[in-house]
Amino acid sequence: MTSEITLFVNPTAGRGRGAHAAQPAASALRDAGFSVRTVLGEDADDALRRAREAVAGGTGALIAVGGDGMMSLALQAVAGTMTPLGVVAVGTGNDFARALGLPIRDPAAAGRLAAEALKGGGVREIDLGRVGERWFGSVLASGFDSRVNDRGNRMRWVGGRFKYDLAILAELAAFKPIAYRVRLDDGPVREIEATLIAVGNGSTYGGGMRICADAVMDDGLFDVTVVGDCSRTTLLKVFPRVYKGTHLSHPKVTVHRVSSIELAAAGVTAYADGEQLGALPLTARCVPGAVRVLVPGSPGGI
């Protein structure tokens, strides 16, 4: 392993926390004896190009500093390679780090953990989801939740968590169940009415909403949570339970464990790791052991 590692930074993450977080993370890594090179990029495409160049050049690790959007970008660079991914989670949601039990909004601790993992062999191989050429680590959203994302992205006059609370209320007022066509693994195509279908490699999205609460990131399977054709009243009762994961016991909710899923529905945009994937239809596949993540633990990973 080379002692030179790459810090992959989103300076705007978490309302500017990304730029501030890079410094203590880099200091922790340098104190551990590593040479640190920082990659910024003029935009997402340029940043990804630079990250891929670092990986191809043999960097000892790619350490992503930012929120879930930055983690998503980093996954596109390291997935399918032997280059380990370190996570300095300082964004708004931080669901990828949360699922792995990594420090959140503590860049110095995250930097020290990455250094210890690099020195001690603390690497965990986890699965990733793949849609076409795009990889995702946490949850793919489609339906009511992705429409909330769509609306929230259009509400530029308000920021933060309040924006998404307003978007939820607005979508509830306009809500109708969605007609899906679904195929689980090699099973038959089924037509169902549902509120949303979430495809979980990890357990949470939206900053801790446990939509796929029992998902395990290294079992080779997605947890697919289907919330059925709820009325607005039922949805108002069920949706708050997502924060604790207790919605899974509701009779309108079913969970399927699959290695692939085909989804189709008119007028629905899919999001994965909080980033827009595009309109349905799509096919998502779980790829076992697709990325190596720096985690606490003994040599050989956990």
Side-chain angles (χ1 to χ4, degrees), residues 269-295:
T269 301
Y271 286 76
D273 294 342
E275 301 296 303
Q276 189 177 111
L277 272 181
L280 300 187
L282 61 77
T283 299
R285 293 184 173 83
C286 184
V287 181
V291 68
R292 305 170 76 236
V293 184
L294 299 175
V295 296

Side-chain angles (χ1 to χ4, degrees), residues 31 87 93 99 110 130 140 151 172 174 225 236 247 252 258 271:
D31 288 347
V87 178
R130 192 169 192 181
L140 184 156
R151 188 178 289 269
L172 275 171
T225 300
L236 276 169
H247 63 294
K252 285 289 187 181
V258 300
Y271 286 76

